[in-house]
Amino acid sequence: MFPLIPNRRNRPQNDLIFALSEEAQRRKAAGESIVNATLGSLMTDEGKLAVLETAAKAVHEVAREEWAAYAPISGSGPFLKAVVHDYFQNAPDLEAMSIAAATPGGTGALRHAVGNYLEPGQSLLTTGYFWGPYQTICDEQNMKLETFSMFAQDGTIDVSALDAKVTELLARQGRVLLFLNDPCQNPTGYSMTRAEWKAVVTCLLAHAEKGPITLLVDTAYYLYGSAADPRAFIEELRPLIGHVGLLFAWSASKSFTHYGLRVGALVAVVPDTKEREITAAALSYSCRGTWSNCNRGGLSAVTKLLSDSTLAKACDTERRSLKQVLTSRVNLFNSLARPKGLKYPRYEGGFFVTVFADDAMAHAQVMREKGVFVVPQKGALRVALCSVAEKDIPRLVDALG
């Protein structure tokens, strides 16, 4: 008899994004001219992985004993303090009421949120366009995922649809956990305005007395947005404090261009001291029961990058240079795609853009036959502009059309 439990017997063997990227790489190695707009890693125009030199140096300078030793279960104190400060450097009151737990990348933070803020069998709520592993995270914990229509007719966030879905979930399951990936949402590239954040906050507060509501802001790409101050939107979330749970998924993967280092954190803003202690204990327990602890060497390197002002400024300078490369691609894409009639959300920066398509699977297949790879989703094609050289963008746009 086959011992694997029934609901684990039909899992896909490979992630779609990685499978497509592997095919693109095989065909390129065989001599084909390929444009690979699938994998979400920032590449140079020369086709090499873009890496912050200061971050790479900090990683290599970590002592071997630090790499070899266990890390504290929730992460080292200096790391947790540095991550919290990274968000709230301009808001010391919020910093004082926040705690964090180290996780293997931002994905670990998302996992902890689902496991600690929903009951078994309940549903996570997110936007209609979302990063596919949100579903995987829910499946792995026997949770469900439900969505609300992301965009209203005017192209802004559909707060009315959000309101209706929050009402429905509160009535059905008594609580809501909402994931919003912003700014530079994966997969659409959309960044909410502060007015849109105000509207979302107003919506959530209107339901706050009906049951526990928790908002998680997935900030994986927040340092690549068009806003002069990438943390400015946090001010709009202040009214939630004490009424709606507030979480942030923090990741070093994109911020410090070290995707394989797997350093992340879940940050929780909890104003009540006792509740803050309970939350910290719950997250620590989850760490022990999933990955036990994180990469100590990685935590040490990232702590130094966040805490040493000289290194932090150097990273900021290098990141701005990479961001300029990305922004140049975004501007070129917009200049070519709009006249061609491609339909997609407002796109001002970030790793991805999503082009709406009626038959996305068929469209993506035709593009693959031309040597241009994108990721098909329901009603759309996800384009990882982060990995496309500027010279290849005209070819990409032509294939999308």
Side-chain angles (χ1 to χ4, degrees):
M1 298 181 69
F2 189 30
L4 196 66
I5 63 174
N7 75 349
R8 293 296 194 271
R9 295 177 186 176
N10 295 303
R11 298 297 199 208
Q13 191 168 12
N14 201 355
D15 178 273
L16 173 63
I17 297 172
F18 281 85
L20 288 170
S21 183
E22 287 170 4
E23 180 185 340
Q25 291 172 38
R26 285 196 304 271
R27 289 172 57 179
K28 184 175 182 179
E32 287 190 61
S33 175
I34 297 295
V35 177
N36 184 2
T38 61
L39 203 55
S41 300
L42 183 56
M43 308 294 286
T44 68
D45 279 337
E46 293 69 43
K48 296 184 179 297
L49 187 67
V51 179
L52 299 181
E53 291 298 326
T54 298
K57 188 170 183 289
V59 168
H60 284 286
E61 288 178 347
V62 174
R64 64 178 183 178
E65 293 83 2
E66 192 72 2
W67 286 110
Y70 283 121
I73 290 172
S74 292
S76 65
F79 170 77
L80 301 177
K81 182 178 180 181
V83 167
V84 170
H85 181 70
D86 188 49
Y87 278 131
F88 305 122
Q89 51 195 253
N90 300 319
D93 57 328
L94 298 184
E95 185 173 1
M97 65 177 70
S98 297
I99 57 97
T103 62
T107 306
L110 304 174
R111 184 266 161 222
H112 271 5
V114 170
N116 285 278
Y117 290 86
L118 289 175
E119 297 281 2
Q122 291 185 339
S123 294
L124 168 70
L125 177 62
T126 193
T127 49
Y129 296 99
F130 61 90
W131 186 47
Y134 285 1
Q135 182 70 67
T136 308
I137 290 166
C138 290
D139 289 346
E140 272 298 291
Q141 299 182 80
N142 294 315
M143 305 289 192
K144 303 180 182 69
L145 183 144
E146 298 184 33
T147 64
F148 66 94
S149 176
M150 186 170 178
F151 297 112
Q153 288 293 324
D154 63 358
T156 63
I157 293 296
D158 194 339
V159 180
S160 294
L162 171 63
D163 182 80
K165 200 64 184 181
V166 169
T167 299
E168 177 189 334
L169 285 176
L170 283 172
R172 178 163 26 102
Q173 65 185 35
R175 64 171 57 239
V176 172
L177 172 62
L178 170 66
F179 279 11
L180 292 179
N181 179 197
D182 190 84
C184 305
Q185 198 237 17
N186 179 356
T188 66
Y190 191 80
S191 295
M192 292 166 58
T193 64
R194 293 186 68 167
E196 286 174 294
W197 271 115
K198 285 179 186 289
V200 168
V201 167
T202 298
C203 170
L204 297 181
L205 287 175
H207 296 279
E209 299 303 317
K210 303 171 188 175
I213 298 174
T214 304
L215 167 66
L216 178 140
V217 187
D218 182 353
T219 62
Y221 305 93
Y222 81 119
L223 295 183
Y224 293 92
S226 61
D229 179 3
R231 300 166 180 82
F233 78 95
I234 293 176
E235 282 299 307
E236 306 302 338
L237 307 183
R238 280 185 176 276
L240 299 177
I241 306 301
H243 304 284
V244 170
L246 182 57
L247 307 174
F248 295 88
W250 186 94
S251 173
S253 297
K254 283 78 179 177
S255 299
F256 292 103
T257 65
H258 274 67
Y259 312 89
L261 202 60
R262 308 314 300 144
V263 174
L266 180 62
V267 175
V269 184
V270 188
D272 181 82
T273 303
K274 183 62 176 176
E275 291 181 5
R276 195 156 58 244
E277 293 173 355
I278 294 171
T279 302
L283 298 182
S284 176
Y285 196 84
S286 288
C287 290
R288 187 57 165 164
T290 47
W291 47 76
S292 189
N293 47 21
C294 288
N295 181 325
R296 187 181 186 113
L299 296 179
S300 296
V302 172
T303 301
K304 191 173 182 181
L305 292 168
L306 289 170
S307 303
D308 185 309
S309 60
T310 300
L311 296 183
K313 289 178 182 177
C315 283
D316 287 344
T317 299
E318 293 168 20
R319 193 183 298 110
R320 277 196 296 271
S321 179
L322 294 182
K323 184 176 170 182
Q324 287 171 0
V325 171
L326 185 58
T327 300
S328 181
R329 294 174 189 172
V330 172
N331 292 340
L332 178 57
F333 179 87
N334 283 329
S335 71
L336 297 174
R338 292 297 186 195
K340 200 171 183 65
L342 298 184
K343 304 298 183 184
Y344 56 97
R346 186 181 71 242
Y347 183 41
E348 300 165 333
F351 280 35
F352 307 99
V353 64
T354 288
V355 176
F356 303 130
D358 291 334
D359 191 345
M361 291 297 292
H363 197 145
Q365 177 60 38
V366 171
M367 292 179 68
R368 284 164 63 192
E369 292 169 1
K370 298 177 181 178
V372 180
F373 284 73
V374 296
V375 179
Q377 299 182 308
K378 184 178 180 181
L381 301 165
R382 192 195 80 161
V383 181
L385 212 62
C386 57
S387 62
V388 179
E390 188 167 335
K391 65 180 176 59
D392 290 328
I393 291 176
R395 178 181 171 188
L396 171 66
V397 172
D398 284 343
L400 285 166

